[in-house]
Amino acid sequence: MNDLNVRTEIKQSEINGLFQEVEQLKKDRTRMKETIDKKTEKIISHILKNGNVLAYKNDMPHVLTVKNVEVKKFDKSALAADLDMTAKELNLIGVAELVERNRITSERLKEYEFYENDQRLKVTKAKKRDMELILGGPRI
């Protein structure tokens, strides 16, 4: 083998290694997100049953509360069924092309929007009053 082929194979091997690391990091990120979501849901459930909680972040007290939010969503599967397409085809570019070809109007797209209530964890720095309320009376 000549020198160029050896360098090319080393470079390909290095790139393959980097690619494998990236793929593993993506799997790790997905796993961590699932773990975070499960633990956050457990915290929210506890707060809903027992009230606000005092927790520490970087040695600073914080109050954990549950906040109700209204989330705007888009029913992509219903639009896909109405247009005889797959939901996968209805990405941002696909929808833009449909509007350009006058297969759908922006007004009609709004018909597929809906709102859903969700509960989110809210974290705020604890004030003295918060600590008294949660811990049950003034601290001396």
Side-chain angles (χ1 to χ4, degrees):
M1 257 201 286
N2 67 29
D3 193 38
L4 181 61
N5 285 345
V6 171
R7 278 186 282 170
T8 302
E9 285 184 27
I10 290 173
K11 198 65 170 170
Q12 287 179 342
S13 176
E14 180 184 334
I15 296 303
N16 183 49
L18 289 173
F19 178 73
Q20 296 303 320
E21 286 178 35
V22 168
E23 291 302 306
Q24 184 60 47
L25 288 169
K26 286 179 182 179
K27 288 178 187 175
D28 293 347
R29 179 178 56 196
T30 300
R31 207 173 309 113
M32 286 191 318
K33 169 102 173 77
E34 290 170 358
T35 302
I36 289 169
D37 290 346
K38 285 178 189 174
K39 291 184 180 204
T40 301
E41 187 57 42
K42 192 172 182 179
I43 293 168
I44 289 172
S45 176
H46 176 82
I47 292 170
L48 290 173
K49 289 177 189 167
N50 303 301
N52 296 345
V53 175
L54 187 66
Y56 287 85
K57 178 178 170 180
N58 299 328
D59 294 328
M60 293 290 296
H62 286 71
V63 177
L64 307 181
T65 57
V66 174
K67 176 180 165 186
N68 290 317
V69 294
E70 194 173 61
V71 181
K72 185 181 197 178
K73 296 202 173 190
F74 184 76
D75 193 351
K76 199 187 288 190
S77 58
L79 176 61
D82 290 348
L83 296 175
D84 293 325
M85 301 176 76
T86 64
K88 194 172 186 177
E89 293 174 295
L90 292 175
N91 59 16
L92 190 60
I93 294 169
V95 172
E97 288 174 353
L98 290 172
V99 172
E100 282 179 5
R101 287 187 260 149
N102 294 322
R103 282 197 63 198
I104 193 161
T105 63
S106 58
E107 291 80 28
R108 185 154 172 240
L109 281 175
K110 289 181 182 177
E111 295 174 17
Y112 295 93
E113 293 176 356
F114 64 97
Y115 290 90
E116 205 172 74
N117 290 322
D118 197 12
Q119 295 173 323
R120 304 270 168 89
L121 184 63
K122 183 178 176 185
V123 180
T124 55
K125 284 186 180 177
K127 298 179 177 117
K128 187 176 181 178
R129 174 124 173 87
D130 295 326
M131 293 176 70
E132 289 173 358
L133 283 172
I134 292 172
L135 298 174
R139 297 283 167 200
I140 301 172

